[in-house]
Amino acid sequence: MKNLQAEELKILEETYRGAIPELKFDSEFELLVAVILSAQCTDKRVNQVTQILFPIANTPEKILQLGQVELEKIIKPCGYYHAKAKHIIGTAEILLKNYSGKVPSDFAELIKLPGVGRKTANVVTSVAFKNPAIAVDTHVFRLSNRLNLSIGKTPLEVELGLQKIIPREKWSDAHHWLIWHGREICKARNPKCADCPLNKICPSSTIK
């Protein structure tokens, strides 16, 4: 099993080396807002929305000045906009009150913020602050189970399993390998097994 996992990770690294997040952002706060918006929404849609939002409200102060009603109007295309607006407003308030308007780099502090779970905190920790982390989104969860990299019924189980088989210094990069492979090839429905660089060794491949 370990040899198979190592080979799968090697191929993913060779295929997606240098992969970066699809979300567009210019600050830690913009990234945090974008990841909150990305729940149950594609990164492409989030980027379309933040192109409108960030030019007028890209700091905690400006978010609060904008207000929840106007924020909801802008982020509505991302879905669940009532909850997401409430979370972003609440996060902006806490950042101003407790962190001088700055996004904390500590994982334990991040997950205290409204709308910030393990996935969001791991993304911000990894991308904004360059700390090793594996964020388990739907793509990472699906691929980890399909490839037998980390079998788990919950994102946390998968995250802990991946941490055991991937060297710590590659956690953040591996997160992006899996995401891009899930987007481009190993889709939830009708995965492109014929085009997959893993199709000869993948335990779930439809072609052998």
PDB file of all heavy atoms in Angstrom, residues 130-146:
ATOM      1  N   LYS A 130       2.056  30.574   4.729  1.00  0.00           N
ATOM      2  CA  LYS A 130       3.088  29.616   4.309  1.00  0.00           C
ATOM      3  C   LYS A 130       3.421  28.575   5.374  1.00  0.00           C
ATOM      4  O   LYS A 130       4.554  28.101   5.474  1.00  0.00           O
ATOM      5  CB  LYS A 130       4.370  30.359   3.900  1.00  0.00           C
ATOM      6  CG  LYS A 130       4.157  31.495   2.919  1.00  0.00           C
ATOM      7  CD  LYS A 130       3.451  31.036   1.661  1.00  0.00           C
ATOM      8  CE  LYS A 130       3.240  32.202   0.691  1.00  0.00           C
ATOM      9  NZ  LYS A 130       2.419  31.802  -0.492  1.00  0.00           N
ATOM     10  N   ASN A 131       2.427  28.206   6.170  1.00  0.00           N
ATOM     11  CA  ASN A 131       2.604  27.149   7.150  1.00  0.00           C
ATOM     12  C   ASN A 131       2.058  25.837   6.577  1.00  0.00           C
ATOM     13  O   ASN A 131       0.980  25.832   5.972  1.00  0.00           O
ATOM     14  CB  ASN A 131       1.876  27.480   8.451  1.00  0.00           C
ATOM     15  CG  ASN A 131       2.464  28.687   9.157  1.00  0.00           C
ATOM     16  OD1 ASN A 131       3.681  28.843   9.209  1.00  0.00           O
ATOM     17  ND2 ASN A 131       1.606  29.546   9.697  1.00  0.00           N
ATOM     18  N   PRO A 132       2.751  24.722   6.722  1.00  0.00           N
ATOM     19  CA  PRO A 132       2.287  23.455   6.162  1.00  0.00           C
ATOM     20  C   PRO A 132       0.886  23.092   6.652  1.00  0.00           C
ATOM     21  O   PRO A 132       0.635  23.106   7.858  1.00  0.00           O
ATOM     22  CB  PRO A 132       3.326  22.444   6.655  1.00  0.00           C
ATOM     23  CG  PRO A 132       4.546  23.255   6.919  1.00  0.00           C
ATOM     24  CD  PRO A 132       4.044  24.574   7.432  1.00  0.00           C
ATOM     25  N   ALA A 133      -0.003  22.801   5.731  1.00  0.00           N
ATOM     26  CA  ALA A 133      -1.372  22.417   6.088  1.00  0.00           C
ATOM     27  C   ALA A 133      -2.010  21.702   4.909  1.00  0.00           C
ATOM     28  O   ALA A 133      -1.657  21.949   3.748  1.00  0.00           O
ATOM     29  CB  ALA A 133      -2.194  23.647   6.478  1.00  0.00           C
ATOM     30  N   ILE A 134      -2.947  20.826   5.200  1.00  0.00           N
ATOM     31  CA  ILE A 134      -3.723  20.131   4.168  1.00  0.00           C
ATOM     32  C   ILE A 134      -5.190  20.448   4.388  1.00  0.00           C
ATOM     33  O   ILE A 134      -5.789  20.005   5.366  1.00  0.00           O
ATOM     34  CB  ILE A 134      -3.505  18.609   4.213  1.00  0.00           C
ATOM     35  CG1 ILE A 134      -2.028  18.260   4.040  1.00  0.00           C
ATOM     36  CG2 ILE A 134      -4.340  17.918   3.138  1.00  0.00           C
ATOM     37  CD1 ILE A 134      -1.727  16.779   4.197  1.00  0.00           C
ATOM     38  N   ALA A 135      -5.749  21.222   3.500  1.00  0.00           N
ATOM     39  CA  ALA A 135      -7.163  21.566   3.581  1.00  0.00           C
ATOM     40  C   ALA A 135      -7.969  20.532   2.796  1.00  0.00           C
ATOM     41  O   ALA A 135      -7.717  20.320   1.614  1.00  0.00           O
ATOM     42  CB  ALA A 135      -7.405  22.969   3.017  1.00  0.00           C
ATOM     43  N   VAL A 136      -8.920  19.904   3.447  1.00  0.00           N
ATOM     44  CA  VAL A 136      -9.704  18.846   2.802  1.00  0.00           C
ATOM     45  C   VAL A 136     -11.035  19.420   2.322  1.00  0.00           C
ATOM     46  O   VAL A 136     -11.977  19.590   3.099  1.00  0.00           O
ATOM     47  CB  VAL A 136      -9.934  17.662   3.759  1.00  0.00           C
ATOM     48  CG1 VAL A 136     -10.771  16.582   3.079  1.00  0.00           C
ATOM     49  CG2 VAL A 136      -8.603  17.085   4.216  1.00  0.00           C
ATOM     50  N   ASP A 137     -11.083  19.737   1.032  1.00  0.00           N
ATOM     51  CA  ASP A 137     -12.347  20.157   0.420  1.00  0.00           C
ATOM     52  C   ASP A 137     -12.968  18.936  -0.260  1.00  0.00           C
ATOM     53  O   ASP A 137     -12.520  17.802  -0.053  1.00  0.00           O
ATOM     54  CB  ASP A 137     -12.116  21.309  -0.568  1.00  0.00           C
ATOM     55  CG  ASP A 137     -11.327  20.889  -1.796  1.00  0.00           C
ATOM     56  OD1 ASP A 137     -10.855  19.722  -1.852  1.00  0.00           O
ATOM     57  OD2 ASP A 137     -11.182  21.713  -2.711  1.00  0.00           O
ATOM     58  N   THR A 138     -13.994  19.149  -1.062  1.00  0.00           N
ATOM     59  CA  THR A 138     -14.676  18.004  -1.686  1.00  0.00           C
ATOM     60  C   THR A 138     -13.754  17.230  -2.622  1.00  0.00           C
ATOM     61  O   THR A 138     -13.835  16.006  -2.708  1.00  0.00           O
ATOM     62  CB  THR A 138     -15.918  18.479  -2.469  1.00  0.00           C
ATOM     63  OG1 THR A 138     -15.534  19.468  -3.433  1.00  0.00           O
ATOM     64  CG2 THR A 138     -16.950  19.076  -1.531  1.00  0.00           C
ATOM     65  N   HIS A 139     -12.873  17.952  -3.343  1.00  0.00           N
ATOM     66  CA  HIS A 139     -11.953  17.279  -4.262  1.00  0.00           C
ATOM     67  C   HIS A 139     -10.946  16.428  -3.498  1.00  0.00           C
ATOM     68  O   HIS A 139     -10.717  15.260  -3.833  1.00  0.00           O
ATOM     69  CB  HIS A 139     -11.209  18.311  -5.113  1.00  0.00           C
ATOM     70  CG  HIS A 139     -12.088  19.130  -6.001  1.00  0.00           C
ATOM     71  ND1 HIS A 139     -12.864  18.583  -6.993  1.00  0.00           N
ATOM     72  CD2 HIS A 139     -12.316  20.466  -6.042  1.00  0.00           C
ATOM     73  CE1 HIS A 139     -13.535  19.540  -7.615  1.00  0.00           C
ATOM     74  NE2 HIS A 139     -13.215  20.688  -7.041  1.00  0.00           N
ATOM     75  N   VAL A 140     -10.318  17.003  -2.491  1.00  0.00           N
ATOM     76  CA  VAL A 140      -9.315  16.281  -1.716  1.00  0.00           C
ATOM     77  C   VAL A 140      -9.943  15.074  -1.023  1.00  0.00           C
ATOM     78  O   VAL A 140      -9.355  13.985  -1.001  1.00  0.00           O
ATOM     79  CB  VAL A 140      -8.655  17.214  -0.680  1.00  0.00           C
ATOM     80  CG1 VAL A 140      -7.685  16.439   0.203  1.00  0.00           C
ATOM     81  CG2 VAL A 140      -7.926  18.364  -1.384  1.00  0.00           C
ATOM     82  N   PHE A 141     -11.143  15.254  -0.497  1.00  0.00           N
ATOM     83  CA  PHE A 141     -11.839  14.148   0.179  1.00  0.00           C
ATOM     84  C   PHE A 141     -12.131  13.016  -0.808  1.00  0.00           C
ATOM     85  O   PHE A 141     -11.875  11.841  -0.524  1.00  0.00           O
ATOM     86  CB  PHE A 141     -13.142  14.660   0.791  1.00  0.00           C
ATOM     87  CG  PHE A 141     -13.887  13.635   1.599  1.00  0.00           C
ATOM     88  CD1 PHE A 141     -13.535  13.383   2.915  1.00  0.00           C
ATOM     89  CD2 PHE A 141     -14.941  12.918   1.051  1.00  0.00           C
ATOM     90  CE1 PHE A 141     -14.213  12.426   3.675  1.00  0.00           C
ATOM     91  CE2 PHE A 141     -15.628  11.964   1.787  1.00  0.00           C
ATOM     92  CZ  PHE A 141     -15.257  11.717   3.113  1.00  0.00           C
ATOM     93  N   ARG A 142     -12.664  13.369  -1.971  1.00  0.00           N
ATOM     94  CA  ARG A 142     -13.027  12.365  -2.979  1.00  0.00           C
ATOM     95  C   ARG A 142     -11.785  11.608  -3.468  1.00  0.00           C
ATOM     96  O   ARG A 142     -11.765  10.374  -3.507  1.00  0.00           O
ATOM     97  CB  ARG A 142     -13.720  13.040  -4.160  1.00  0.00           C
ATOM     98  CG  ARG A 142     -14.124  12.091  -5.278  1.00  0.00           C
ATOM     99  CD  ARG A 142     -14.925  12.798  -6.351  1.00  0.00           C
ATOM    100  NE  ARG A 142     -14.107  13.716  -7.157  1.00  0.00           N
ATOM    101  CZ  ARG A 142     -14.153  15.040  -7.056  1.00  0.00           C
ATOM    102  NH1 ARG A 142     -14.946  15.614  -6.182  1.00  0.00           N
ATOM    103  NH2 ARG A 142     -13.401  15.808  -7.832  1.00  0.00           N
ATOM    104  N   LEU A 143     -10.745  12.343  -3.846  1.00  0.00           N
ATOM    105  CA  LEU A 143      -9.560  11.700  -4.397  1.00  0.00           C
ATOM    106  C   LEU A 143      -8.810  10.861  -3.372  1.00  0.00           C
ATOM    107  O   LEU A 143      -8.300   9.793  -3.702  1.00  0.00           O
ATOM    108  CB  LEU A 143      -8.618  12.760  -4.991  1.00  0.00           C
ATOM    109  CG  LEU A 143      -8.811  13.021  -6.489  1.00  0.00           C
ATOM    110  CD1 LEU A 143     -10.184  13.638  -6.752  1.00  0.00           C
ATOM    111  CD2 LEU A 143      -7.721  13.923  -7.025  1.00  0.00           C
ATOM    112  N   SER A 144      -8.753  11.344  -2.149  1.00  0.00           N
ATOM    113  CA  SER A 144      -8.046  10.595  -1.108  1.00  0.00           C
ATOM    114  C   SER A 144      -8.662   9.219  -0.925  1.00  0.00           C
ATOM    115  O   SER A 144      -7.950   8.213  -0.742  1.00  0.00           O
ATOM    116  CB  SER A 144      -8.068  11.369   0.210  1.00  0.00           C
ATOM    117  OG  SER A 144      -7.353  12.578   0.097  1.00  0.00           O
ATOM    118  N   ASN A 145      -9.986   9.150  -0.983  1.00  0.00           N
ATOM    119  CA  ASN A 145     -10.672   7.865  -0.845  1.00  0.00           C
ATOM    120  C   ASN A 145     -10.566   7.033  -2.115  1.00  0.00           C
ATOM    121  O   ASN A 145     -10.331   5.826  -2.055  1.00  0.00           O
ATOM    122  CB  ASN A 145     -12.137   8.100  -0.471  1.00  0.00           C
ATOM    123  CG  ASN A 145     -12.330   8.370   1.017  1.00  0.00           C
ATOM    124  OD1 ASN A 145     -12.294   7.469   1.830  1.00  0.00           O
ATOM    125  ND2 ASN A 145     -12.518   9.633   1.373  1.00  0.00           N
ATOM    126  N   ARG A 146     -10.711   7.662  -3.277  1.00  0.00           N
ATOM    127  CA  ARG A 146     -10.638   6.907  -4.531  1.00  0.00           C
ATOM    128  C   ARG A 146      -9.254   6.304  -4.759  1.00  0.00           C
ATOM    129  O   ARG A 146      -9.127   5.193  -5.278  1.00  0.00           O
ATOM    130  CB  ARG A 146     -10.977   7.819  -5.713  1.00  0.00           C
ATOM    131  CG  ARG A 146     -12.458   8.031  -5.943  1.00  0.00           C
ATOM    132  CD  ARG A 146     -12.678   8.869  -7.197  1.00  0.00           C
ATOM    133  NE  ARG A 146     -14.088   9.071  -7.455  1.00  0.00           N
ATOM    134  CZ  ARG A 146     -14.569   9.868  -8.414  1.00  0.00           C
ATOM    135  NH1 ARG A 146     -13.726  10.530  -9.196  1.00  0.00           N
ATOM    136  NH2 ARG A 146     -15.866  10.010  -8.585  1.00  0.00           N
TER     137      ARG A 146
END
